[in-house]
Amino acid sequence: MTLKALVLSGGGSKGAYQVGVLKRLLVDSGNKYDIVTGISVGAINASYIAQFPVDEKPARVWECLADLWGQVTTSKIRKGWFPFGPLEALWKSSVYNSDPLGKWVRSGLDSTKVARSGRTLRIVTVSYDSGESFVATEKMPDIASWVLASAAFPVMLAPISIEGQLWADGGVRSVTPLGEAIRAGASAIDVVLCGDPDMKQSFQSKGKAACPALTLRTIELITNQIMRADLKIAGLKNDLAGPYRKVAIRVFKPSIDLDTIQSSLDFEQGPIQKMIQIGYDDAKIQG
């Protein structure tokens, strides 16, 4: 039996790029994915896809994602702390108040639909308390909380309290949850990255403050290194004899540095739509 998986990486607002790639994969090519895995913004996109039955028309699935991203703005993701603004972050768990993100995600995510869809879902998050990663599945009664935990961009967005522990962005440990797709039984995997870890990037550091600009830049550099490791590990598993079977892996990644279009924590519609179009155009060439 062939099981097809979709793996969606983290990347903040660059998750819009994934929506563009998925227009090609779902609408044009009609791919149906038995398994969807995601980290950070990829967890949001994956969980929304997982609400639909496997036999749902792929174009209908994409329309749901496009509608979600067509309504997002920065104000629906984060806001400053009140009344002291950034200074309040000195005694808060994050630079920004991410309550709006919770409302945005929960507004269209139904745990019951996810559990009954027939798709396998894997969402990766990390505990601040133990340092260990945790993989949430489609069976979790409150999958939205685990999705929000995975999407809690380190330092910038507030971690989520679940069962007495604080949980944050799974990208701290892994940016592309390829391993989870393989363990779930996938024999063919489409991976959609929000950045090319080998691409030379352009960043103007002069005059930038430590927080948030340089902190955000540091996290992005670490993320790129983790992304390289994820892809290399997947390649090794394919090359080694042992319990791992051969898995067909296709990787879709941006042809340009998306950070030149919009910062990962800015969600304005003009750049969002531009990244969606770039994703679609790239997928036509790369796929």
Side-chain angles (χ1 to χ4, degrees):
M1 180 180 179
T2 299
L3 293 178
K4 195 161 190 176
L6 177 66
V7 175
L8 301 174
S9 78
S13 64
K14 290 175 284 188
Y17 177 83
Q18 295 175 344
V19 180
V21 173
L22 288 171
K23 182 179 181 181
R24 176 64 173 173
L25 298 180
L26 297 175
V27 180
D28 293 1
S29 301
N31 286 288
K32 294 185 177 182
Y33 296 99
D34 308 281
I35 303 163
V36 284
T37 73
I39 282 180
S40 194
V41 72
I44 297 174
N45 287 338
S47 63
Y48 267 70
I49 291 171
Q51 293 183 106
F52 293 89
V54 177
D55 60 359
E56 179 65 79
K57 292 180 179 178
R60 173 72 185 95
V61 178
W62 182 81
E63 287 168 4
C64 174
L65 269 183
D67 182 63
L68 175 74
W69 282 87
Q71 298 180 35
V72 71
T73 61
T74 302
S75 64
K76 287 188 176 181
I77 302 299
R78 59 179 173 86
K79 61 182 179 180
W81 292 108
F82 183 82
F84 301 109
L87 287 177
E88 198 157 348
L90 294 174
W91 59 89
K92 295 287 188 179
S93 59
S94 60
V95 173
Y96 296 112
N97 179 341
S98 51
D99 284 348
L101 173 63
K103 294 178 181 177
W104 181 58
V105 170
R106 291 182 184 278
S107 66
L109 185 56
D110 187 328
S111 296
T112 301
K113 289 182 179 179
V114 172
R116 294 177 178 175
S117 72
R119 295 187 200 257
T120 296
L121 176 66
R122 297 292 184 266
I123 300 298
V124 183
T125 184
V126 171
S127 169
Y128 272 134
D129 297 74
S130 69
E132 295 298 314
S133 59
F134 176 78
V135 181
T137 77
E138 72 280 358
K139 301 301 182 184
M140 300 296 183
D142 184 16
I143 191 63
S145 289
W146 292 106
V147 170
L148 288 168
S150 185
F153 202 97
V155 181
M156 298 299 174
L157 301 180
I160 305 298
S161 178
I162 304 174
E163 299 176 355
Q165 295 187 55
L166 284 182
W167 298 87
D169 195 327
V172 172
R173 296 288 296 271
S174 173
V175 179
T176 54
L178 267 165
E180 298 310 319
I182 293 171
R183 278 186 283 274
S187 50
I189 303 175
D190 286 339
V191 182
V192 187
L193 305 179
C194 290
D196 182 346
D198 296 316
M199 180 184 292
K200 184 177 180 180
Q201 297 177 319
S202 176
F203 179 78
Q204 299 299 320
S205 60
K206 187 176 181 180
K208 294 292 196 301
C211 189
L214 294 182
T215 300
L216 184 58
R217 177 59 174 164
T218 299
I219 292 169
E220 288 172 344
L221 290 173
I222 294 171
T223 296
N224 278 343
Q225 185 57 42
I226 296 173
M227 198 182 302
R228 290 189 191 98
D230 289 346
L231 294 173
K232 288 179 180 178
I233 289 171
L236 285 172
K237 287 178 178 178
N238 253 354
D239 292 339
L240 292 173
Y244 296 103
R245 65 208 166 281
K246 284 283 186 179
V247 180
I249 300 176
R250 294 194 301 176
V251 178
F252 298 87
K253 56 187 178 180
S255 57
I256 67 169
D257 180 3
L258 298 180
D259 284 313
T260 62
I261 298 175
Q262 182 165 236
S263 167
S264 295
L265 289 179
D266 290 328
F267 286 75
E268 297 311 315
Q269 271 300 305
I272 289 290
Q273 295 304 317
K274 185 174 182 179
M275 286 190 281
I276 290 175
Q277 186 61 50
I278 292 171
Y280 180 66
D281 292 340
D282 283 351
K284 287 194 292 185
I285 297 171
Q286 297 173 20

